[in-house]
Each structure stands twice: as structure tokens, then as C-alpha cells.
Amino acid sequence: MKAITQDLFYDYHFLANLNYNPAKTVAAFVKSKVNIDDNGYDQFIWLYENGKCRQLTSGKKEGNYVWEDDEHILFIANREGNDDEFKTLVYRININGGEATKAFELPLKVNTIKVLPEQYLIQATVDVRFGNYHELDETARQKIKDDLKENQDYQVMDEYPFYFNGAGYINSQRSNLFLVDKKTLAIKALSVATLDVESFDITLDNKQIVISGIDYQSFKGKWSQLYLYNTNTGKLKEIFSQTDMQIGRVFFFQDQIMVAGTYGKDYGAMEAN
């Protein structure tokens, strides 16, 4: 029997983010491995097709992807030495061969992408101090980046929470939703920047988006709100605002809105209802 040591975990490969293409003929997943030198992980997109697995990407940082159609995958990567924290580069690759090419870039710190018929539904991290950054011209954007660089030696902590384990300082950071036009790349925010989106889902006909989150200015409470966004009218309305439930996940099921949450009456935030 071999003793379990720290080095043993360095050789593990972690599989995650398994998704089929729309036709359900090919599955993609992310394979990750610890990189000691970089104090992080190497991540690659792999494919499973006809009973066999094969590696699709080789850039080491392709952990965030989405199927664009049956033969193309969009993934977030930094292959241009981009050091702009406000910009995300998105690449496209054909699963049947060929090099990845840049599909588009956005003035947002993108976390996830959902592909709709004419738009992309984007979840991105924004700084509420510059919530309209994506609407500014290049001169105004550069001034913000210059100011941040000038003041990079200290960290402002005037919100709670201001730090999250694994994410680092999150003061003034929120998760927001945006719709991006595929042709023009015009960006439309779905809510105010202070709404911290924690879960969302879209109907099969892409007409409604349900959003759960907490809107706060300086102190993040524990009770969630629910909103419904109509993609035809562009209107957002609040549908749940009672101060008695923490919502961990929201989703559509047979045209009904379902939530997984807790009232926290007996066991606090970890209670399941």
C-alpha cells in the first residue's frame, strides 16, 4: 500500500462542465490538472464522440466554453496577452479540425455565455463604480483604467462582503446579466448594476428570463429577490421580494418557475427546503 502524499493530488485529472451539442451526438468537457509552477490549473476542452475521447484545445486555459452549434464551440481565452481586466476575448473552434480563431471581444469581464438565436446571454462581473463601462467611449474607458492603475497599491473595503475565499477581494463587484446582439455586439444590461445575480434560467422559446439575486448598495443582505425579464419588450419586473427566503437556484420547469431555497428558520443558511 502506498502512502497518500500531497504530490499524489498533483497527478489527478479533474473532469467537469460536461455538455452535449444541440444534436446530442458529441459531448464536450473540461479536463483540468494542477500546475504547480503557476499555482493554478491547466484546463483543456476535450470531446467524447463515438465512444472515444480526444483533446480539442491546447492553450491550457480553456475552462469556460459553450456550444455555438453542432460543430462549433465558443470559449473564453487570452491568446493575445490581454492584460485589460475589463475585456474578454472569445474564440471559435470547429470540432472537426482547424485552428481556433477570435470570434469577438467584449468590454465586459465575462463569466458565462448562453447562445440564443440572435443574441448571446452573458453573465459578467462588473464594478458598480463603473457600472456603465461598456457604454463609454475608449477615452473614458482608458481614464478609468489609468485611475485604477495609479491607485493599485491599496484596496478599498467599504462594503460587506469585501472578500470571498477563492475569489479574493470582491468589494464593489457584482454579477450582472447582459444581452449581446450577435451581429452588432451591442450590449444591453438586463438590470441595475447593483443587482448581484446568483441564478438565472431562460424559457425554451427564449422569451423570458427568470433571475434571482440580491440588490444592495453597501451591505449584502441574505434574502433574495426574483425578477422576470421579457426579451420581446425588454422589461424587467420584480415578482418576489419577501424578506424570508434565500434562493440558491431558480429554473423553469414545464412553464413554471421553480426555486431551490431555504427559509433558514431552524438551521440557518445551510438548511434545505
Side-chain angles (χ1 to χ4, degrees), residues 66-134:
V66 65
W67 283 97
E68 186 177 29
D69 53 39
D70 287 329
E71 296 185 346
H72 296 88
I73 284 177
L74 296 174
F75 63 91
I76 296 172
N78 181 10
R79 298 189 171 188
E80 298 181 359
N82 170 46
D83 60 357
D84 185 346
E85 64 176 301
F86 289 94
K87 182 169 71 175
T88 299
L89 306 179
V90 180
Y91 292 82
R92 176 183 292 112
I93 190 168
N94 190 311
I95 64 171
N96 298 312
E99 293 293 325
T101 58
K102 190 169 77 171
F104 55 90
E105 62 182 59
L106 294 172
L108 296 167
K109 188 176 180 180
V110 177
N111 298 319
T112 63
I113 303 173
K114 283 184 176 291
V115 178
L116 308 183
E118 298 179 359
Q119 298 167 303
Y120 300 113
L121 179 58
I122 302 288
Q123 185 178 30
T125 299
V126 302
D127 189 320
V128 294
R129 295 173 298 175
F130 326 112
N132 66 335
Y133 179 89
H134 61 281

